[in-house]
């Protein structure tokens, strides 16, 4: 692993240098005041010790300088208590993930599983889709049937669900599933399902609430031996049709896994890191508008190679399609596990340029690649600054990159924003921004869980099951820092899980965002948000023109109470998962909205006023 990291650093040394100089300058300027204050305090202490020494010698016990604590925000306000209630069983969810493990410790067994909120039957309520894995064909005979790869639950509007897998045409569908992407790829007003897998991927067309497998005719199966993880629909070419980006992890087979033979002392074979598996490249499928796709990843500039070996460099687990530059062109960032992340800038001509290192998003603040899992983005400070958050491996902080005066330079501000210390020990997969208390500031949630079920035997500080974590954004009062909500104040979100996928939706129409978390080899955790502080809210459901009927990529600016908030219609975020399409804005004590500006995917703008609060509004593109 150290050799691989050294190769990365050598390969990117020159291009890192310029970016490092810029980041160092930013950090220096922003930290100068803190450093001067610290120096002043040190001078006072030294002077005091000198005067004390003149009177009577005393023993001085020196403490090491804690720079992390020194640079962290001080005197932060206490976050409001969060109330997340486990309603999984009560809501009718009986899904249990099956990873097919039988003792060989094969890497895919610990890397699923995705989840999605979406309205499959257009009745206005977010339904739930779970991705399952499968039994291994080379494993022992089992006394239980093969699991359905997809399990669909219909929401009755009150937050109670009924399984509709069979009547939706998804019964008897078997493959080793990983993640899910949702989008109306054919522009008929119904959301379709794309599921990633170890092996062939699958596309299911929604035909009036019943799904039909159109993988082969659409041409999106991918490689027979590939291992795809996350995926997302978005308009990569600007022609209105939803294209499809598929993230691939590593070159894997049972034979390769056995040959790698990762072991832990005292345990034997274990679920290891991807460092000894070859990298891959991702797929970009361009929608031709006739129900078929053309894979153009290589010609579009997305086949990134290790300059030392010439082999594919990517080991992707998650992605975010986001317009970094605000120019109407959607870029793609990929979270790579143990190698540098990718940022594919959309050139507007069907090609992309990889710029993660140039923009400060490739590596952490020390110039090292992280075990990157889930990813999300947000304008968390209600201004022009864009943040990118990434969940990382155990003993690595979650990454929190913030743009610096423009879209093409980011600094790793994990520590100064308050995210660093509390996330260091967690092994994090799903992450997302959402406003859990509807105060108008986006908060941050991450779901955690180790990859090795016996990790505590070799690392006393680590547990296989880990509680989720919630961070409250304290807004203008503290410089937009985050404060961890204590585990005792987050309700059932503190229940230890082998957490993986994570998504959110308002499942009962009360304006508060509820959460679902998946775990390996066990049931999910459906958490109803019972945090009620009397804050107002506004929800918007955008209906775009065909073919992009879900208005994926639309940007919304809301002005209320002297504050401006920003959202993007983009269900693809977190880890292997999809969030609901409607947008939720917390308004705090503001009981009216001044203005809402919608920038539709085609660049046209629509201004709305006099929208009543505490309601869901359906907005149709003119």
């Amino acid at each position: 692993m150290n050799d691989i990291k050294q190769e990365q650093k050598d390969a990117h040394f020159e291009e890192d240098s310029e970016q490092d100089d810029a980041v160092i300058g930013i950090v220096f300027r922003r930290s100068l005041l803190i450093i001067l204050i610290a120096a002043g305090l040190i001078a006072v202490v030294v002077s005091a010790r000198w005067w004390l020494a003149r009177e009577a010698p005393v023993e001085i016990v020196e403490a090491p300088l804690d720079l992390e604590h020194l640079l962290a925000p001080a005197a932060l306000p206490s976050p409001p208590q969060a109330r997340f209630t486990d309603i999984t069983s009560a809501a009718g969810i009986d899904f249990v993930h099956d990873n097919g493990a039988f003792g060989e410790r094969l890497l895919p067994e610990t890397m699923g599983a995705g989840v999605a909120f979406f309205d499959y039957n257009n009745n206005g309520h977010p339904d739930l889709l779970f991705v399952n894995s499968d039994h291994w064909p080379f494993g022992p005979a089992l006394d239980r049937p093969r699991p359905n790869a997809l399990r669909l639950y219909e929401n009755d509007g009150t937050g109670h669900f009924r399984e509709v897998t069979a009547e939706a045409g998804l019964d008897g569908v078997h493959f080793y599933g990983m993640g899910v992407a949702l989008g109306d790829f054919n522009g008929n007003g119904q959301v379709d399902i794309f599921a990633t897998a170890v092996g062939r991927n699958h596309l299911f067309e929604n035909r009036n609430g019943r799904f039909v497998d159109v993988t082969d005719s659409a041409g999106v199966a991918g490689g027979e031996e590939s291992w795809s993880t996350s995926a997302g629909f978005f308009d990569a070419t600007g022609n209105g049709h939803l294209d499809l980006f598929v993230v691939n992890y590593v070159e894997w087979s049972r034979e390769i896994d056995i040959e790698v033979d990762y072991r832990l002392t005292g345990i034997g074979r274990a679920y290891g890191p991807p460092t000894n598996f070859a990298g891959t490249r991702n797929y970009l499928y361009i929608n031709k508008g006739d129900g078929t796709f053309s894979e153009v990843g290589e010609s579009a500039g997305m086949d990134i190679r290790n300059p030392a070996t010439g082999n594919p460099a990517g080991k992707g687990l998650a992605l975010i399609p986001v317009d970094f530059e605000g120019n109407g062109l959607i870029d793609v960032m990929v979270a790579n596990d143990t190698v540098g992340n990718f940022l594919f800038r959309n050139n507007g001509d069907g090609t992309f340029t990889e710029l993660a290192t140039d923009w400060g998003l490739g590596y952490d603040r020390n110039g090292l690649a992280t075990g990157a899992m889930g990813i999300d983005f947000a304008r968390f400070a209600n201004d022009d600054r864009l943040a990118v958050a990434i969940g990382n491996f155990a003993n690595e902080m979650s990454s929190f990159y913030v743009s610096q005066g423009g879209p093409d330079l980011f600094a790793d501000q994990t520590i100064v924003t308050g995210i660093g210390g509390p996330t260091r020990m967690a092994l994090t997969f799903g992450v997302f921004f959402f406003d859990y208390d509807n105060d108008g500031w986006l908060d941050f949630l991450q779901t955690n869980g180790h990859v090795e079920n016996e990790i505590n035997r070799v690392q006393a500080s680590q547990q296989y099951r880990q509680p989720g974590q919630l961070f409250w954004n304290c807004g203008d009062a503290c410089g937009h820092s985050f404060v961890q909500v204590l585990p005792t104040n987050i309700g059932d979100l503190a229940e230890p899980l082998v957490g993986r996928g994570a998504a959110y939706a308002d499942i009962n129409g009360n304006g508060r965002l509820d959460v679902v978390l998946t775990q390996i080899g066990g049931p999910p955790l459906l958490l109803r948000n019972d945090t009620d502080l009397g804050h107002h809210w506004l929800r918007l459901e955008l209906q775009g023109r065909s073919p992009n009927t879900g208005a994926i990529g639309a940007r919304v600016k809301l002005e209320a109470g002297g504050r401006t908030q920003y959202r993007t219609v983009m269900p693809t975020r977190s880890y292997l998962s999809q969030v609901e399409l409607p947008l939720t804005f917390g308004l705090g004590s503001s009981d009216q909205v001044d203005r809402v500006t919608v920038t539709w995917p085609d660049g046209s703008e629509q201004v709305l006023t006099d929208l009543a609060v505490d309601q869901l509004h359906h907005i149709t593109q003119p």
Side-chain angles (χ1 to χ4, degrees):
M1 181 173 180
N2 291 333
D3 292 340
I4 292 178
K5 288 184 175 180
Q6 188 60 49
E7 288 180 9
Q8 295 165 351
K9 288 186 284 185
D10 291 344
H12 292 284
F13 180 78
E14 293 184 4
E15 55 186 353
D16 281 352
S17 297
E18 296 181 3
Q19 182 253 327
D20 287 347
D21 290 343
V23 172
I24 289 170
I26 291 167
V27 173
F28 175 77
R29 291 191 296 272
R30 292 193 168 197
S31 303
L32 183 58
L33 180 59
I34 296 174
I35 294 172
L36 289 175
I37 292 172
L41 290 173
I42 293 171
V44 170
V45 171
V46 171
S47 298
R49 289 176 59 186
W50 184 79
W51 281 102
L52 288 171
R54 289 181 56 186
E55 299 298 328
V58 294
E59 181 180 358
I60 303 296
V61 179
E62 298 192 26
L65 184 60
D66 186 354
L67 288 177
E68 182 172 327
H69 177 75
L70 179 64
L71 295 176
L76 298 176
S78 298
Q81 181 174 351
R83 295 179 57 203
F84 285 96
T85 305
D86 179 3
I87 62 168
T88 311
S89 296
I93 303 298
D94 60 357
F95 171 77
V96 178
H97 179 255
D98 188 342
N99 64 354
F102 62 94
E104 286 194 345
R105 303 292 179 91
L106 302 175
L107 187 56
E109 296 168 357
T110 194
M111 299 304 293
V115 64
F117 281 113
F118 78 119
D119 184 4
Y120 91 96
N121 53 6
N122 287 339
N123 67 356
H125 309 310
D127 308 303
L128 255 176
L129 178 71
F130 294 96
V131 181
N132 212 343
S133 297
D134 198 359
H135 301 162
W136 293 114
F138 43 74
L142 300 175
D143 58 359
R144 62 184 190 274
R146 292 178 67 183
N148 284 320
L150 301 172
R151 296 275 297 277
L152 179 62
Y153 293 81
E154 180 187 26
N155 184 356
D156 67 2
T158 69
H160 189 272
F161 295 81
R162 175 181 68 94
E163 184 172 7
V164 293
T165 304
E167 61 190 77
L170 297 173
D171 192 34
V173 175
H174 305 295
F175 53 86
Y176 203 98
M178 294 296 296
V180 59
L182 303 169
D184 179 10
F185 80 89
N186 53 10
N188 67 354
Q190 302 177 80
V191 181
D192 309 298
I193 300 171
F194 179 81
T196 63
V198 178
R200 285 169 50 89
N201 300 319
H202 295 265
L203 177 64
F204 298 90
E205 181 184 352
N206 188 343
R207 297 179 182 174
N208 298 316
R210 189 169 179 85
F211 292 91
V212 177
D213 191 333
V214 295
T215 307
D216 291 335
S217 61
V220 293
E224 295 287 339
E225 305 297 326
S226 64
W227 177 359
S228 299
T229 51
S230 295
F233 285 100
F234 68 99
D235 183 3
T237 59
N239 66 358
H241 294 284
L242 291 182
D243 307 302
L244 177 63
F245 190 93
V246 181
V247 177
N248 290 316
Y249 191 30
V250 294
E251 288 189 12
W252 182 88
S253 68
R254 180 194 185 199
E255 292 71 26
I256 294 174
D257 206 322
I258 297 298
E259 182 179 353
V260 168
D261 198 25
Y262 181 80
R263 293 179 178 268
L264 287 173
T265 302
I267 293 179
R269 264 192 67 84
Y271 295 113
T275 48
N276 291 324
F277 294 86
T280 60
R281 76 166 182 87
N282 305 304
Y283 302 140
L284 175 61
Y285 292 100
I286 297 301
N287 189 337
K288 295 192 286 188
D290 59 359
T292 67
F293 292 79
S294 176
E295 203 287 301
V296 299
E298 183 176 357
S299 61
M302 293 178 164
D303 185 4
I304 307 303
R305 302 276 169 157
N306 184 318
T309 66
N311 296 324
K315 298 183 180 183
L317 286 176
L319 78 155
I320 46 170
V322 54
D323 181 0
F324 277 89
E325 296 175 289
N327 59 4
L329 302 173
I330 297 182
D331 315 296
V332 183
M333 184 168 175
V334 177
N336 281 319
D337 188 1
T338 71
V339 297
N341 302 315
F342 295 153
L343 184 282
F344 295 107
R345 178 186 181 273
N346 192 331
N347 298 321
D349 59 0
T351 67
F352 292 76
T353 303
E354 202 287 299
L355 295 171
T357 301
D358 293 349
W359 286 18
L361 292 164
Y363 302 93
D364 70 7
R365 68 194 184 286
N366 297 315
L368 299 175
T370 62
M373 312 292 185
I375 187 171
D376 197 9
F377 71 97
R379 299 196 182 278
F380 74 104
N382 290 340
D383 58 20
D384 290 338
R385 287 178 292 170
L386 183 67
V388 173
I390 298 177
N392 291 320
F393 204 79
N395 301 311
E396 297 175 338
M397 302 176 189
S398 292
S399 299
F400 199 95
Y401 302 95
V402 180
S403 61
Q404 307 293 308
D408 58 354
L409 179 62
F410 284 75
D412 185 342
Q413 296 189 344
T414 305
I415 294 175
V416 297
T417 52
I419 298 293
T423 63
R424 186 189 298 273
M425 297 304 297
L427 199 165
T428 302
F429 280 84
V431 300
F432 57 69
F433 291 95
F434 76 136
D435 187 356
Y436 82 88
D437 58 347
N438 280 342
D439 66 350
W441 299 99
L442 286 170
D443 311 302
F444 179 68
L445 181 148
Q446 59 180 44
T447 182
N448 308 315
H450 212 281
V451 298
E452 173 52 53
N453 55 342
E454 296 187 73
I455 189 62
N456 187 248
R457 290 176 53 187
V458 294
Q459 293 185 33
S461 63
Q462 286 294 318
Q463 298 293 332
Y464 185 46
R465 301 180 182 277
Q466 301 178 7
Q469 291 175 292
L470 179 64
F471 294 85
W472 177 60
N473 184 341
C474 51
D476 288 334
C478 64
H480 316 111
S481 295
F482 290 83
V483 183
Q484 183 179 12
V485 186
L486 295 177
T488 54
N489 290 334
I490 60 177
D492 293 326
L493 179 58
E495 180 179 336
L497 296 176
V498 192
R500 295 297 185 263
Y504 60 77
D506 178 6
I507 64 174
N508 52 11
N510 66 0
R512 296 192 294 268
L513 290 176
D514 310 292
V515 172
V516 64
L517 310 177
T518 66
Q519 65 172 332
I520 288 294
L525 193 64
L526 179 61
L527 297 167
R528 186 181 63 216
N529 186 351
D530 292 328
T531 308
D532 189 0
L533 302 177
H535 289 159
H536 296 291
W537 50 272
L538 184 82
R539 283 171 53 79
L540 301 175
E541 184 173 30
L542 274 56
Q543 178 71 41
R545 291 197 297 261
S546 183
N548 187 0
T549 60
I552 290 178
R555 292 169 288 156
V556 177
K557 180 173 69 173
L558 179 144
E559 301 167 68
R563 184 181 302 159
T564 302
Q565 299 183 52
Y566 303 86
R567 300 284 191 277
T568 300
V569 179
M570 185 55 66
T572 301
R573 55 188 75 216
S574 186
Y575 173 76
L576 306 178
S577 302
Q578 304 272 287
V579 303
E580 67 171 354
L581 281 176
L583 305 175
T584 299
F585 295 85
L587 302 176
S589 60
S590 299
D591 59 2
Q592 65 179 22
V593 172
D594 300 321
R595 178 190 299 262
V596 170
T597 303
V598 180
T599 303
W600 294 95
D602 63 3
S604 62
E605 283 195 358
Q606 182 179 5
V607 177
L608 306 164
T609 56
D610 300 323
L611 293 177
V613 302
D614 301 333
Q615 292 185 24
L616 169 67
H617 296 270
H618 299 271
I619 310 300
T620 301
Q621 184 175 3

